[in-house]
Amino acid sequence: MAKDPILPVDDEARALAKKLMRTARSGALATNDPDSGMPFASLVQVGTDLDGAPVILTSQLSLHTRLMEADPRCSLLLSSIGKGDPLAHPRLTLQARAERLDRETDEAKSIRRRYLLQHPKAELYVDFPDFSFWRLKVASGSLNGGFGRAYRMTAEDLLTDMAEFFDFYDFEAEAVAHMNAEHGDAVALYATQLCGAREGAWQLIGVDPEGLQMALGDEILRLSFPRPLTGPHEVRPMLIRLANEARSRVA
């Protein structure tokens, strides 16, 4: 009898999957063509909502938009890019249902703000009338962390619990703006000293209960907190703790 290649999901696998979701800038979106019965794959830019759910921005002119309107079931492949054999790098396939967001709602406006921090060049077309944001409501995932590291994951494994973080969109917006305006040196240290990244004008682009996202040019970093936060009141102390740790590592 063949050995089951699927491993039990552990915290390391969850962390890897969440990192892929929070740092991937693009992915392969597979939708369903009702006329041919064949799958249709296309390259899309990917952002994230606060809980890590993928967010995409599509034009009504795109075939995958019309296919999602006809059948919201879809799949999204996210991959870590690196040198050497591409199959040696982590990748994550998500199964989801696509949900179009009403651009006039407060939620959609908050998602627009977050998306533009992750993809600033989208400012050129984000408000065109034929463009819409879609959130992919994750049902499950399949993580391949490299050779011999395969996991089947639930939505609970992949998404961040936001139950105790009421009205966090506004809190996050203020925290991000404050850190970038007043504490850019700390943000740069988070990137270089805690993530091992190159020197540069790193910007904070996201805060959630489990970590931070930072960007420099086309590169996005994920810094996970030592433990998940229990509420917004813990954000500031955690940022101070991380800044002190980063400064202690400076030679």
Side-chain angles (χ1 to χ4, degrees):
M1 185 174 180
K3 180 182 177 181
D4 187 352
I6 305 300
L7 299 174
V9 176
D10 56 19
D11 288 343
E12 183 179 356
R14 293 185 187 95
L16 176 56
K18 290 179 178 182
K19 180 179 180 180
L20 282 170
M21 292 171 69
R22 299 277 188 178
T23 59
R25 300 183 67 253
S26 64
L29 176 72
T31 48
N32 301 295
D33 187 336
D35 295 328
S36 67
M38 301 290 285
F40 178 83
S42 51
L43 183 68
V44 293
Q45 276 192 160
V46 180
T48 54
D49 200 353
L50 284 172
D51 64 353
V55 173
I56 61 175
L57 176 65
T58 73
S59 167
Q60 195 64 40
L61 300 176
S62 300
L63 177 56
H64 54 253
T65 299
R66 300 195 293 275
L67 294 182
M68 287 189 296
E69 290 174 335
D71 185 346
R73 294 175 299 169
C74 60
S75 182
L76 181 69
L77 171 63
L78 306 173
S79 178
S80 175
I81 299 173
K83 296 180 180 179
D85 187 343
L87 296 183
H89 297 287
R91 60 266 191 199
L92 174 67
T93 299
L94 300 172
Q95 292 183 308
R97 296 182 71 86
E99 173 188 68
R100 189 200 299 267
L101 303 178
D102 180 347
R103 69 166 62 223
E104 298 306 317
T105 64
D106 290 341
E107 180 183 31
K109 292 175 183 177
S110 294
I111 285 175
R112 176 189 182 279
R113 174 190 61 80
R114 299 190 87 249
Y115 188 90
L116 288 178
L117 287 174
Q118 298 167 45
H119 298 286
K121 293 179 182 178
E123 182 81 51
L124 295 172
Y125 51 82
V126 65
D127 293 323
F128 286 2
D130 63 303
F131 275 78
S132 299
F133 281 107
W134 296 75
R135 177 172 41 218
L136 304 190
K137 301 181 69 174
V138 175
S140 62
S142 177
L143 172 69
N144 190 318
F147 292 121
R149 297 174 59 202
Y151 307 85
R152 293 194 185 101
M153 312 187 86
T154 66
E156 289 73 22
D157 291 321
L158 297 162
L159 300 177
T160 299
D161 184 2
M162 300 296 301
E164 300 301 320
F165 290 78
F166 308 104
D167 300 322
F168 197 68
Y169 283 120
D170 291 340
F171 183 98
E172 183 211 28
E174 293 176 5
V176 167
H178 173 74
M179 289 297 294
N180 287 329
E182 305 295 335
H183 303 289
D185 57 333
V187 175
L189 288 174
Y190 294 157
T192 58
Q193 301 303 314
L194 302 183
C195 297
R198 59 193 170 101
E199 299 280 346
W202 289 92
Q203 293 282 298
L204 186 64
I205 63 170
V207 181
D208 62 81
E210 295 181 339
L212 308 174
Q213 286 166 278
M214 294 165 285
L216 178 61
D218 292 333
E219 186 176 356
I220 296 178
L221 293 179
R222 175 68 172 173
L223 174 60
S224 296
F225 295 146
R227 58 170 181 78
L229 306 184
T230 62
H233 64 283
E234 292 191 336
V235 171
R236 184 174 183 273
M238 179 59 72
L239 294 177
I240 294 173
R241 171 182 171 178
L242 293 174
N244 290 337
E245 180 182 346
R247 290 189 178 101
S248 73
R249 297 187 184 187
V250 177

